[in-house]
């Protein structure tokens, strides 16, 4: 296929050139009705913020420009089919799970799964079987599922529908995709990959293997994260022929807007063209920039910008070298403190900071000028704010005790209890704590003594806690007792402790 | 036929020079470099379409960026010039016999090569035996030094483009670290008149103040720079540029200048009221 073409982009250019008189939505009418918005975003932009029409195709049932653009995307990623998604990768993750699971089914997932996957389980009534992803003893970050852990979970839950995999994690850790995929396939389970942070794997040399090439059946791709398209635009890929693309499209259409944004869709088309034609060379530069930054940061002393040397063939099968993850505890600062200082004093916004690490994303838009600024700022932060090194707060994996499916717990009658007196209750909420980026409780799980102690400790330590409705974390919503709730489904072994 | 060079000082203001001949137009890995010959200003060169220096008025900028700090502290021995690949600033520094070491760091080797070939009147400064050239990002170079230079001169382009990193807090903090106990930092400070430049100048100044106890501003009149009124920042750890100058000692050096003199030295720090107000209200 000709990856130099961009059918949707070209169709929009033709539309603009034809000076069509719009008596359809959107009501801003190519920006004429909203001068302030047009001045802010630009006439060029507003003039192609249009609705679906024959020459521009329709995302729900594509037959021309969008169909061709999706076929080119599938070809570029080496996938069987590709779907443009305008609800972010969250919608792609949800469509993946809903495509292979039905209410009452179960799915094997790593405990450090993104919230969007748990939310998908709530939406379609699927039961999670959690696998311990492991935590790095020096860095304090959660890792990838080990193949042996996944294999044990498969043996213990032969009726599970699918295995869900992060490729990579936020910090760039990749599991052994190939081995996990073949174990899942041998047991008749589908393999679903969350590649929100892995778009570039498909276009670079020396990067970890992309999920579809390693045998995954479906993958959710955040084109906007590292691929260069607009925020909220993503791709859903299918691998081999086992998954019917038409069924996947039906599932997507259950929840996706019928007024998909042409700004988002054309940005996917253009970003795909750029990746397919010049991506390899550009990503070589990106990797070199990240490598340079790592060496310079490690040269400052105190900081540890980690990379491939942490690969252990077990729960770290590979590492994404474009993620600039920096361990900060040895300069006496939490990652989130460095993150805040970078923003407030130096005007540098990085992706993320937790208790022990911070993370900068290096992508197709970066320059060596900006890398020098980041490195110099880190050197200044050490000089001006550095203290005696801190030791890592040891964290043990707390095996979840699942009492209800996430959906049942979410929709059950519930009440708010003071957090400290919630031990023994079933949570109807999600509490996530960074580090290590693992939920401490999820809807339907028993609030155990261990989990509660961990939450209270993390709170005291100033760890970043997300999820609960009460943002001060004084109270937690729990499932009201004495309700007539069903027992866990037959053949469901929720408490897998691999 | 007439050929004119035009520079947009703002989107609404243009400055033009009649051109005799365009000598060169090349693109380096960092920027667009052009060299022209003109009747009024002689030979001049531009980076990304902005005049860096002209043969006829460059003496003003180079004398003022070099002699003000050198007169404020006659015991300066080691000097770092960041930017300034044309050689004009080091040419002035090299006139001080007592200076032992001059490092010039310019990110763009092609600027040095072009100036050596086409602007010998400034590039001659690069030939002094004490001058060492380093082709790298100034922000990177400075990270390696602590308590090393007596004077750092930032002879940079505008803070939009390759020079942007040289107007940041991380850069000034690293300069402070690299300077000796009586160290001085001088940088070109843009013009106070046009909003875009003056905002950049005020932002840079706020960053310098985070580190240096003494922060002063002085001015010069440069016909070919936007608004013709140019500012320089003088920041130091100990030395006050006006109170601490020993005029007799500087005059005894016998350095012949066309713009700078020790009377003007004090006057250059006397700023117009609207500029004072800008400096007092940095936002």
């Amino acid at each position: 296929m000709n990856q130099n073409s961009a059918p949707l982009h070209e169709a929009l250019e033709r539309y603009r050139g034809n000076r069509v008189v719009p008596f359809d939505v959107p009501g801003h009418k190519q920006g004429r009705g909203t001068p302030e918005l047009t001045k802010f975003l630009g006439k060029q932009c507003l003039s192609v913020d249009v609705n679906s029409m024959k020459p521009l195709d329709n995302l729900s049932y594509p037959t021309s420009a969008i169909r061709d653009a999706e076929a080119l995307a599938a070809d570029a990623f080496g996938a069987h089919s590709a779907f443009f998604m305008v609800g972010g990768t969250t919608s792609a993750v949800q469509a993946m799970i809903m495509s292979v699971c039905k209410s009452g089914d179960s799915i094997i997932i790593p405990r450090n799964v993104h919230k969007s996957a748990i939310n998908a389980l709530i939406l379609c009534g699927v039961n999670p079987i959690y696998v311990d992803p492991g935590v790095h003893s020096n860095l304090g970050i959660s890792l990838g599922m080990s193949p042996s852990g996944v294999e044990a979970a498969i043996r213990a839950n032969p009726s599970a529908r699918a295995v869900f995999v992060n490729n990579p994690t936020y910090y760039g850790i990749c599991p052994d995709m190939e081995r996990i995929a073949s174990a899942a396939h041998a047991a008749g389970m589908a393999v679903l990959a969350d590649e929100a942070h892995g778009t570039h794997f498909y276009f670079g040399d020396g990067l970890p293997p992309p999920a579809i090439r390693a045998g995954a059946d479906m993958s959710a791709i955040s084109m906007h994260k590292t691929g260069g398209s607009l925020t909220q635009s993503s791709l859903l890929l299918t691998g081999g022929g086992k998954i019917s693309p038409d069924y996947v499209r039906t599932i997507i259409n259950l929840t996706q807007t019928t007024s998909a944004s042409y700004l988002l869709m054309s940005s996917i088309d253009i970003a795909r063209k750029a990746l397919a034609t010049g991506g390899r060379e550009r990503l070589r530069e990106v990797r070199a920039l990240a490598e340079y930054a790592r060496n310079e940061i490690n040269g400052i002393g105190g900081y540890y910008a980690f990379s491939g040397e942490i690969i252990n063939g077990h729960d770290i099968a590979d590492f994404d070298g474009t993620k600039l993850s920096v361990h900060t505890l040895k300069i006496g600062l939490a990652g989130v403190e460095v993150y805040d200082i970078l923003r407030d004093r130096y005007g540098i916004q990085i992706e993320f900071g937790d208790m022990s690490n911070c993370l900068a994303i290096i992508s197709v838009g970066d320059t060596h000028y900006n890398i020098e600024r980041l490195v110099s700022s880190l050197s200044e932060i050490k000089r001006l704010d550095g203290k005696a090194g801190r030791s890592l707060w040891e964290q043990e994996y707390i095996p979840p005790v699942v009492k209800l499916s996430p959906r049942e717990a979410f929709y059950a009658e519930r009440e708010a209890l003071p957090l400290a007196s919630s031990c023994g209750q079933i949570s109807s909420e999600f509490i996530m704590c960074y580090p290590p980026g693992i939920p401490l409780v999820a809807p339907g799980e028993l609030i155990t003594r261990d989990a509660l102690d961990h939450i209270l400790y993390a709170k005291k330590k100033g760890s970043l806690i997300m999820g609960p409705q009460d943002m001060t974390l004084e109270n937690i919503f729990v499932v009201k007792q004495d309700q007539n709730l069903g027992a866990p489904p037959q053949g469901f072994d929720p408490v897998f402790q691999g | 036929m007439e050929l004119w060079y035009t520079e947009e000082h703002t989107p609404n203001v243009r400055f033009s020079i009649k051109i005799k001949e365009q000598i060169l137009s090349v693109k380096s890995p960092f920027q667009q470099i052009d060299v022209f010959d003109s009747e009024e200003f002689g030979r001049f060169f531009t980076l990304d379409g902005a005049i860096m220096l002209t043969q006829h008025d460059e003496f003003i900028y180079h004398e003022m960026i070099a002699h003000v700090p050198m007169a404020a502290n006659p015991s300066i021995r080691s000097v770092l010039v960041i930017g300034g690949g044309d050689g004009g600033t080091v040419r002035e520094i090299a006139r001080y016999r007592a200076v032992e070491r001059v490092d010039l760091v310019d990110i763009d080797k092609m600027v040095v090569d072009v100036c050596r070939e086409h602007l010998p009147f400034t590039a001659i400064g690069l030939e002094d035996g004490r001058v060492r050239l380093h082709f790298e990002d100034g922000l990177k170079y400075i990270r390696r030094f602590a308590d090393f230079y007596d004077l750092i001169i930032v002879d940079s382009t505008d803070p939009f483009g390759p020079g942007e990193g040289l107007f940041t807090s991380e850069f000034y903090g690293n300069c402070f670290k690299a300077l000796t106990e009586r160290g001085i930092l001088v940088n070109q400070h843009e013009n106070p008149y046009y909003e875009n430049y003056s905002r950049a100048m005020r932002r840079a100044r706020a960053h310098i103040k985070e580190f240096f106890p003494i922060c002063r501003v002085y001015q010069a009149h440069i016909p070919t720079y936007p608004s013709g009124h140019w500012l320089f920042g003088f920041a130091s750890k100990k030395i006050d540029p006006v109170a601490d100058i020993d005029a007799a000692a500087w005059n005894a050096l016998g350095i012949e200048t066309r713009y700078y003199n020790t009377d003007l030295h004090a006057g250059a720090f006397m700023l117009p009221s609207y500029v004072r107000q800008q400096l007092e209200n940095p936002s």
Side-chain angles (χ1 to χ4, degrees), chain A residues 292 296 300 345-346 348 368-369 371-377 379-380 383-384, chain B residues 30 107 137 139-140 143 162 164-165 168-170 173-174 176-177 207 210-211:
Chain A
Y292 168 78
E296 291 291 308
I300 295 169
R345 199 193 297 155
Y346 299 99
I348 293 174
H368 66 93
Y369 299 120
I371 294 283
E372 291 301 347
R373 287 195 56 185
L374 176 64
V375 174
S376 290
S377 299
S379 144
E380 280 291 281
R383 180 173 78 87
L384 299 169
Chain B
F30 303 95
I107 197 168
D137 191 327
L139 187 52
K140 177 181 181 183
R143 280 204 298 273
E164 186 161 358
T168 60
S169 180
E170 56 270 28
N174 274 301
F176 184 88
K177 178 179 67 134
H207 290 316
E210 292 164 17
F211 300 101

Side-chain angles (χ1 to χ4, degrees), chain A residues 233-317:
Chain A
S233 64
S234 298
L235 280 174
L236 177 54
L237 306 179
T238 69
K242 267 189 299 178
I243 309 260
S244 152
D246 291 332
Y247 182 68
V248 172
R249 192 180 311 280
T250 306
I251 294 289
I252 292 171
N253 284 340
L254 285 179
T255 51
Q256 183 151 279
T257 175
T258 53
S259 309
S261 160
Y262 278 85
L263 301 178
L264 297 183
M265 291 191 287
S266 60
S267 81
I268 301 176
D269 199 26
I270 292 167
R272 182 271 313 151
K273 176 182 162 185
L275 285 171
T277 54
R280 211 157 290 279
E281 194 187 330
R282 185 68 190 108
L283 280 162
R284 228 191 322 272
E285 294 164 14
V286 169
R287 280 183 53 220
L289 271 182
E291 207 48 53
Y292 168 78
R294 250 191 295 278
N295 288 335
E296 291 291 308
I297 290 168
N298 287 331
I300 295 169
Y303 294 108
Y304 175 31
F306 52 90
S307 182
E309 71 278 0
I310 65 170
I311 292 172
N312 61 15
H314 178 61
D315 40 20
I316 311 172

Side-chain angles (χ1 to χ4, degrees), chain B residues 3-18:
Chain B
L3 190 58
W4 289 77
Y5 165 84
T6 295
E7 184 177 325
E8 291 201 344
H9 284 176
T10 82
N12 307 308
V13 176
R14 287 177 169 180
F15 176 81
S16 298
I17 298 175
K18 192 173 175 190

Side-chain angles (χ1 to χ4, degrees), chain A residues 473-484:
Chain A
L473 206 61
E474 295 300 320
N475 295 301
I476 181 168
F477 276 98
V478 301
V479 175
K480 235 179 177 171
Q481 288 178 343
D482 308 323
Q483 283 182 74
N484 195 10

Side-chain angles (χ1 to χ4, degrees), chain A residues 112-241:
Chain A
N112 56 345
V113 74
H114 188 255
K115 218 171 77 179
S116 60
I118 307 264
N119 289 344
L121 305 186
I122 293 174
L123 284 176
C124 60
V126 173
N127 299 299
I129 296 156
Y130 291 112
V131 175
D132 175 7
V135 171
H136 194 279
S137 54
N138 295 327
L139 301 172
I141 55 172
S142 66
L143 306 172
M145 297 184 289
S146 68
S148 54
V150 176
E151 283 158 2
I154 290 172
R155 276 195 302 277
N157 298 274
S159 63
R161 283 290 183 174
V163 176
F164 189 95
V165 188
N166 297 321
N167 190 51
T169 66
Y170 219 150
Y171 285 106
I173 310 289
C174 298
D176 188 337
M177 273 306 305
E178 265 180 48
R179 213 175 122 190
I180 290 173
S182 56
H185 287 156
M189 299 177 191
V191 176
L192 311 180
D194 180 346
E195 291 193 299
H197 298 277
T199 309
H200 50 295
F201 290 3
Y202 290 83
F203 302 96
D205 299 316
L207 289 168
I212 292 291
R213 219 171 291 158
D217 298 289
M218 299 182 86
S219 172
I221 304 271
S222 285
M223 273 300 261
H224 68 90
K225 285 206 174 82
T226 53
S229 68
L230 293 180
T231 296
Q232 211 174 303
S233 64
S234 298
L235 280 174
L236 177 54
L237 306 179
T238 69

